């Protein structure tokens, strides 16, 4: 892969569009291997880069530079919803380049929720088998960073819809955990979001595998009769070989809930496709340590069990977490409004066993007001910020019960990202407790 990728960059006029984590990673790869190559970098922000072989395009009109280059390496988080790409210009991204040029076995995982848990499980299963493996992509490691240490036998790649939007190649094993409405502000509606996700299988061939959750009807999103690869629909109550694995997942405190058992079965199926034994799969499930911000136990304070579920940015994820824990007395929720339909979530909040509902700006406040207007008799608290929310949780949660912060919305109205929100919540709980 390495030499082919460098030749690809060397033979084209390259524009790095967006200079965040992935943009900087792309720049580093090019500069380490092509120190004298002239490239462009475009970003809405003002940049200060001491490199005479770089032309900076900054400010409001930064997109005007696209027509001056052959290939645009786009940052995933930048929406192209209203952007017209100049004729003859190729748009790509790190994920696309890795899939096109890598020689290792690529296992790609996407879905609205469950991506990180499923990706990490697959990584642990493959690692347990003795194969060399890397865990890269949307999990927080730009895929081209992997080049610094050389290619491994297997690359497990978590893929967001943004990273898949401009891919022209698919992984050998593709996993789709689920699809629910999200990131609608980035695409032209739900159809655009689904279309980006489906790029994970669109370029597969007859020797590849596509794995999906049989509990969700994926047929309405894609005509699978036209797919060349082998389609494997995973049933939670299916094969005998999964029974012991499901039992091990149920016994692991970090894999509570039906949704996590589904993630385990998806991961096991993917691992089998590349030759991992059931013994190694089982051992990885038993030893799984969980992931930060995903139903993460913070500890017990003043007799209350606190959990951080900051990754839960849609209602369905919140519902899964509450049902998995089983003893939630207090739910802290709310964040940035991205146009998600919350009507079903309102009904869930009314009907569920959670007694204390603490709403954060903006969506949490809005939903709490709707519940009050509907005459909901639960303890409904409107919190101006996380400090007030945590104080209320300590005041109202019964000892022996759980409090979970699970937003059902993104964090960008107040925080840099969901990790920032989760860390702030954990700090407040520990300092207050």
């Amino acid at each position: 892969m390495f030499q082919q990728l460098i030749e690809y960059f060397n033979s084209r006029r390259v524009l790095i569009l967006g200079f965040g984590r992935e943009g900087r990673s792309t720049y580093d790869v090019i500069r380490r291997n092509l120190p004298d190559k002239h490239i462009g970098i475009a970003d809405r922000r003002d940049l200060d880069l001491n490199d005479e072989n770089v032309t900076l395009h900054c400010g409001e009109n930064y997109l005007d530079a696209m027509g001056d280059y052959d290939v645009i390496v786009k940052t995933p988080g930048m929406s192209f919803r209203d952007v017209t790409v100049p004729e003859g210009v190729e748009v790509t991204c790190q994920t696309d380049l890795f899939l096109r040029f890598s020689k290792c076995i690529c296992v790609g995982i996407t879905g609205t929720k469950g991506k990180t848990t499923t990706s990490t499980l697959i990584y642990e299963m493959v690692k347990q088998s003795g194969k060399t493996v890397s865990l890269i992509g949307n999990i927080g490691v730009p895929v081209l960073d992997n080049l610094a240490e050389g290619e491994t036998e297997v690359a497990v790649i978590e893929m967001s819809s943004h990273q898949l939007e401009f891919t022209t190649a698919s992984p050998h094993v593709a996993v789709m955990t689920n699809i629910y409405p999200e990131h609608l502000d980035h695409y032209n509606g739900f159809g655009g979001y689904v279309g980006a996700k489906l790029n994970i299988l669109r370029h597969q061939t007859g020797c590849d595998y596509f794995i999906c959750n049989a509990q969700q009807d994926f047929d309405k999103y894609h005509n699978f009769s036209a797919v060349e690869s082998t389609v494997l629909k995973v049933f939670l109550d299916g094969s005998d070989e999964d029974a012991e694995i499901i039992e091990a997942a149920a016994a692991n405190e970090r894999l509570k809930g039906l949704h996590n058992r589904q993630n385990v079965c998806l991961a096991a199926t993917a691992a089998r496709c590349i030759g991992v034994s059931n013994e190694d799969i089982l051992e990885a499930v038993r030893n799984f340590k969980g992931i930060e911000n995903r139903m993460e136990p913070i500890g017990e304070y003043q007799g209350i069990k606190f959990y951080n579920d900051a990754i839960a940015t849609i209602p369905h994820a919140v519902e899964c977490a509450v049902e998995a824990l089983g003893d939630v007395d207090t739910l802290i929720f709310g964040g940035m409004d991205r146009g998600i339909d919350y009507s079903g979530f309102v009904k869930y909040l009314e009907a569920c066993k959670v007694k204390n509902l603490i709403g954060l700006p903006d969506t949490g406040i809005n939903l709490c007001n709707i519940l009050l207007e509907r005459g909901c008799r639960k303890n409904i608290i409107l919190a101006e910020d996380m400090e007030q929310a945590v104080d209320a949780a300590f005041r109202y949660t019964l000892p022996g019960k759980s409090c979970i912060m699970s937003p059902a919305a993104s964090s960008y109205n107040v925080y840099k990202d969901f990790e920032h929100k989760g860390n702030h919540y954990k700090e407040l709980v520990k300092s207050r407790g």
Side-chain angles (χ1 to χ4, degrees):
M1 168 189 178
F2 186 75
Q3 191 55 42
Q4 283 184 305
L5 179 65
I6 300 311
E7 290 173 1
Y8 171 87
F9 281 136
N10 195 35
S11 62
R12 290 163 175 81
R13 295 173 299 165
V14 177
L15 175 68
I16 298 173
L17 187 56
F19 206 56
R21 181 185 290 172
E22 271 204 18
R24 289 180 180 275
S25 169
T26 303
Y27 167 79
D28 288 341
V29 169
I30 294 173
R31 195 48 77 231
R32 279 197 306 269
N33 297 281
L34 299 168
D36 298 322
K37 180 174 176 58
H38 195 93
I39 61 172
I41 300 175
D43 197 295
R44 187 184 296 274
R45 303 164 299 161
D46 288 333
L47 301 175
D48 183 16
L49 190 66
N50 184 23
D51 188 334
E52 62 183 11
N53 286 320
V54 169
T55 299
L56 295 176
H57 308 275
C58 301
E60 289 296 317
N61 298 319
Y62 70 110
L63 292 176
D64 291 352
M66 292 195 301
D68 298 332
Y69 296 86
D70 300 318
V71 61
I72 296 168
V73 186
K74 174 186 168 296
T75 190
M78 183 180 297
S79 174
F80 260 34
R81 183 179 58 184
D82 301 314
V83 174
T84 301
V85 178
E87 188 175 352
V89 176
E90 177 188 357
V91 179
T92 186
C93 62
Q94 283 207 6
T95 301
D96 179 48
L97 295 172
F98 193 91
L99 291 173
R100 285 162 62 180
F101 295 122
S102 176
K103 303 302 183 186
C104 64
I105 298 171
C106 292
V107 182
I109 303 91
T110 195
T112 305
K113 291 299 169 188
K115 295 187 296 294
T116 301
T117 299
T118 305
S119 299
T120 307
L121 281 164
I122 295 170
Y123 168 78
E124 295 293 347
M125 292 169 184
V126 176
K127 184 179 178 181
Q128 182 67 35
S129 75
K131 292 181 171 66
T132 57
V133 58
S134 57
L135 180 60
I136 55 181
N138 193 58
I139 199 149
V141 182
V143 296
L144 295 188
D145 282 5
N146 201 45
L147 293 177
E149 300 177 2
E151 284 198 81
T152 54
E153 292 176 81
V154 180
V156 180
I157 314 168
E158 181 184 324
M159 301 175 173
S160 70
S161 57
H162 306 337
Q163 290 166 322
L164 284 165
E165 188 175 8
F166 289 97
T167 55
T168 57
S170 295
H172 171 54
V173 180
V175 180
M176 181 85 77
T177 61
N178 48 53
I179 296 180
Y180 300 102
E182 190 169 45
H183 301 305
L184 303 185
D185 53 335
H186 190 101
Y187 302 97
N188 288 313
F190 187 49
Y193 171 67
V194 172
K197 287 284 190 192
L198 288 173
N199 273 343
I200 198 168
L201 66 89
R202 214 178 296 276
H203 308 286
Q204 287 191 313
T205 64
C207 62
D208 298 324
Y209 298 91
F210 173 69
I211 302 163
C212 63
N213 181 353
Q215 274 68 33
Q216 189 170 34
D217 181 14
F218 284 97
D219 293 322
K220 65 183 178 182
Y221 302 126
H222 193 76
N223 178 16
F224 287 107
S225 63
V227 175
E228 292 187 27
S229 56
T230 301
V231 177
L232 301 173
K233 295 188 178 183
V234 175
F235 292 85
L236 185 58
D237 56 352
S239 64
D240 292 338
E241 63 184 350
D242 278 338
E244 193 175 7
I245 293 168
I246 292 171
E247 185 179 343
N252 187 327
E253 286 292 304
R254 296 312 307 272
L255 289 169
K256 285 183 175 180
L258 175 66
H259 64 297
N260 272 325
R261 293 199 291 277
Q262 290 170 337
N263 293 335
V264 166
C265 289
L266 290 166
T269 303
R272 289 189 195 107
C273 288
I274 56 173
V276 179
S277 71
N278 279 345
E279 290 75 16
D280 288 330
I281 290 169
L282 186 59
E283 191 67 16
V285 172
R286 285 172 175 157
N287 295 329
F288 186 68
K289 299 294 190 290
I291 304 169
E292 193 176 12
N293 295 300
R294 290 154 179 86
M295 289 173 57
E296 174 193 4
I298 303 172
E300 187 171 315
Y301 299 89
Q302 299 182 24
I304 303 164
K305 294 171 285 185
F306 283 89
Y307 290 86
N308 166 34
D309 196 38
I311 188 63
T313 56
I314 62 169
H316 178 75
V318 179
E319 295 167 18
C320 287
V322 170
E323 299 307 314
L325 293 177
D327 66 347
V328 176
D329 196 41
T330 299
L331 171 64
I332 301 172
F333 62 102
M336 188 177 84
D337 190 348
R338 295 167 299 158
I340 293 175
D341 180 6
Y342 284 105
S343 57
F345 190 52
V346 169
K347 294 177 182 177
Y348 173 80
L349 293 175
E350 286 181 307
C352 71
K353 295 179 181 179
V354 180
K355 294 179 180 178
N356 306 301
L357 302 173
I358 304 175
L360 290 166
D362 299 308
T363 58
I365 298 290
N366 296 339
L367 294 178
C368 282
N369 282 324
I370 292 171
L371 289 166
L372 290 168
E373 291 170 5
R374 291 165 67 109
C376 179
R377 301 180 67 84
K378 294 189 176 187
N379 184 24
I380 298 173
I381 301 145
L382 281 65
E384 292 182 4
D385 51 35
M386 190 67 79
E387 286 84 353
Q388 285 190 8
V390 171
D391 283 344
F394 274 103
R395 189 177 311 122
Y396 295 111
T397 310
L398 290 175
K401 296 285 188 177
S402 295
C403 168
I404 186 169
M405 192 275 289
S406 195
S410 75
S411 306
Y412 298 121
N413 60 327
V414 175
Y415 297 94
K416 181 176 68 174
D417 49 33
F418 72 86
E419 290 101 337
H420 184 201
K421 187 172 191 171
N423 287 335
H424 187 211
Y425 170 66
K426 288 190 287 186
E427 290 167 6
L428 290 169
V429 169
K430 291 176 181 178
S431 64
R432 176 74 165 74

